[in-house]
Amino acid sequence: MTTLFSGYRLGALALPNRVVMAPMTRVRAAAGGLATPSMARYYAQRATAGLIVTEGVQPSLVGQSNPGTPGLYTDQQVAAWRPVTDAVHTNGGRIFAQIMHGGRVSHPDTTGMQPVGPSAVAAVGEVFTPNGPLPAPTPRALDTAEVPEHVQSYADAARRAVDAGFDGVELHGANGYLISQFLSSNANLRTDRYGGSVGNRIRFAVEAAAATAEAIGADRTGIRLSPEGAFWGIEETDVAELYTALLTELSRLGLAYVHLEATTDEETLLGLRRAWSGTLVMNPVLPMGPKQTGQADADQWLNLGADLISFGRAFIANPDLVERLRTGLPIAPADDATYFQGGDHGYLTYSAYQHSA
């Protein structure tokens, strides 16, 4: 019987369990998008996860969404990540970098550049900047001739990730960022080969995945998706058709996994499981919603056909989450006021479960 604690083969990696640490923005990088010694300790503390997926890492300066996030587009950034991947591997873990191009979810105060997107349609809401939350600006619509360089930015960052010691990468195709914007029916108003029909709206995602798979190997490339997710004002029409078409195309690439968020109904998600024959990572609860993933959610989705289960917030306050789940120990709550405040408090201050004498 498959359980959360059964081993799993993911490409060349032998995972000791089916628990994935989900990507979570923590805005602890140093100036220049550099990883830090604190980040090395943070990820190493959680190396008992079957697989760690890092916070979103920008593949270019214009792709940076939030201040304080790390990059993978300079040699200095590659060098800064090496102690992080070394620390995770020394502690027996496996780690993928999540490559995240923010697209329109950015601000000139953060990057010094006007954000870009599929169309000149602003995101809904305020974006984080060095000067506090500000209304999302209208992005510059990418010319057709420019789109390939943004496709290629994922592949280039993936090569740098491997140079930095990562075991693979996950493309952030969810939550209203650039890939998600191309999939959208209201952020993407294009009339060229990247917009309009379902086949055109999935093209950017497929090209980014194909370029990355060619760069570092399909077995080291995953992608995260949030079907029908309404992040940053995103809307998607024809959700089942859109994502079935996308997963059908991605199946031809032989990717390491697809990572789905439970942002649509269970029936649609089960249909997508049927459309995707490869490894499925399932994130059973809404990001930043009122509930965090627990053992019951994990067991439900393993029974429904998921192969791996990702846990987000539960990993913040529980570096030993796998052991707590395995032995039924209580899951400590995290202080959400410290999620994005920077510094080591609320980052390195959570400890493994202390058994009373």
Side-chain angles (χ1 to χ4, degrees):
M1 175 183 161
T2 298
T3 77
L4 198 53
F5 312 105
S6 308
Y8 188 78
R9 172 65 64 171
L10 183 71
L13 299 175
L15 311 187
N17 57 66
R18 295 170 185 246
V19 177
V20 175
M21 178 176 166
M24 291 177 285
T25 299
R26 301 305 308 276
V27 296
R28 261 70 177 191
L34 302 181
T36 67
S38 290
M39 290 165 65
R41 192 170 158 208
Y42 170 76
Y43 286 116
Q45 286 175 341
R46 290 154 178 80
T48 52
L51 178 67
I52 291 171
V53 184
T54 69
E55 62 213 278
V57 180
Q58 57 261 16
S60 60
L61 181 57
V62 74
Q64 181 175 359
S65 182
N66 301 305
T69 54
L72 267 171
Y73 58 91
T74 71
D75 292 345
Q76 292 84 358
Q77 290 164 350
V78 171
W81 275 114
R82 286 191 182 119
V84 180
T85 59
D86 285 348
V88 170
H89 292 145
T90 297
N91 279 268
R94 296 135 301 274
I95 184 167
F96 275 33
Q98 190 194 57
I99 303 175
M100 172 183 155
H101 191 311
R104 70 180 186 169
V105 185
S106 184
H107 198 279
D109 286 9
T110 299
T111 64
M113 310 169 78
Q114 183 183 6
V116 298
S119 300
V121 179
V124 174
E126 295 183 322
V127 295
F128 296 104
T129 81
N131 302 309
L134 292 172
T138 300
R140 180 178 66 78
L142 291 167
D143 291 335
T144 305
E146 288 180 284
V147 173
E149 74 185 65
H150 292 272
V151 165
Q152 194 58 39
S153 73
Y154 291 92
D156 292 342
R159 283 194 194 90
R160 289 185 178 276
V162 171
D163 288 347
F166 284 100
D167 298 298
V169 303
E170 174 181 285
L171 305 189
H172 198 345
N175 299 16
Y177 300 110
L178 186 61
I179 291 173
S180 174
Q181 290 158 31
F182 272 93
L183 294 171
S184 167
S185 46
N186 69 340
N188 180 354
L189 306 179
R190 303 177 73 92
T191 56
D192 66 356
R193 62 197 299 268
Y194 291 99
S197 68
V198 162
N200 284 351
R201 279 159 47 208
I202 68 172
R203 191 183 307 278
F204 184 85
V206 173
E207 288 183 355
T212 304
E214 184 177 351
I216 65 168
D219 65 338
R220 295 198 284 193
T221 303
I223 188 169
R224 192 177 209 216
L225 303 168
S226 53
E228 209 175 357
F231 305 93
W232 301 105
I234 286 286
E235 293 177 6
E236 293 170 341
T237 55
D238 312 312
V239 172
E241 180 189 356
L242 178 72
Y243 282 90
T244 299
L246 175 57
L247 294 181
T248 299
E249 289 300 311
L250 294 178
S251 289
R252 298 189 175 116
L253 301 177
L255 301 184
Y257 64 78
V258 163
H259 187 176
L260 288 182
E261 297 177 16
T263 41
T264 189
D265 61 272
E266 186 175 295
E267 181 182 355
T268 300
L269 291 169
L270 291 175
L272 299 181
R273 164 73 283 193
R274 291 189 291 273
W276 171 252
S277 58
T279 296
L280 177 66
V281 183
M282 192 68 211
N283 190 247
V285 302
L286 288 173
M288 305 306 293
K291 184 175 181 288
Q292 67 180 21
T293 303
Q295 180 80 50
D297 306 294
D299 289 343
Q300 177 193 5
W301 274 102
L302 288 173
N303 290 334
L304 289 173
D307 301 296
L308 305 169
I309 306 295
S310 68
F311 294 75
R313 282 159 289 166
F315 260 114
I316 292 176
N318 301 274
D320 58 338
L321 179 63
V322 174
E323 182 65 9
R324 292 188 192 225
L325 291 168
R326 191 179 64 79
T327 57
L329 291 169
I331 306 300
D335 177 7
D336 59 8
T338 66
Y339 284 179
F340 312 119
Q341 72 171 16
D344 287 348
H345 182 68
Y347 191 61
L348 300 180
T349 47
Y350 297 111
S351 60
Y353 187 81
Q354 304 294 315
H355 292 270
S356 56

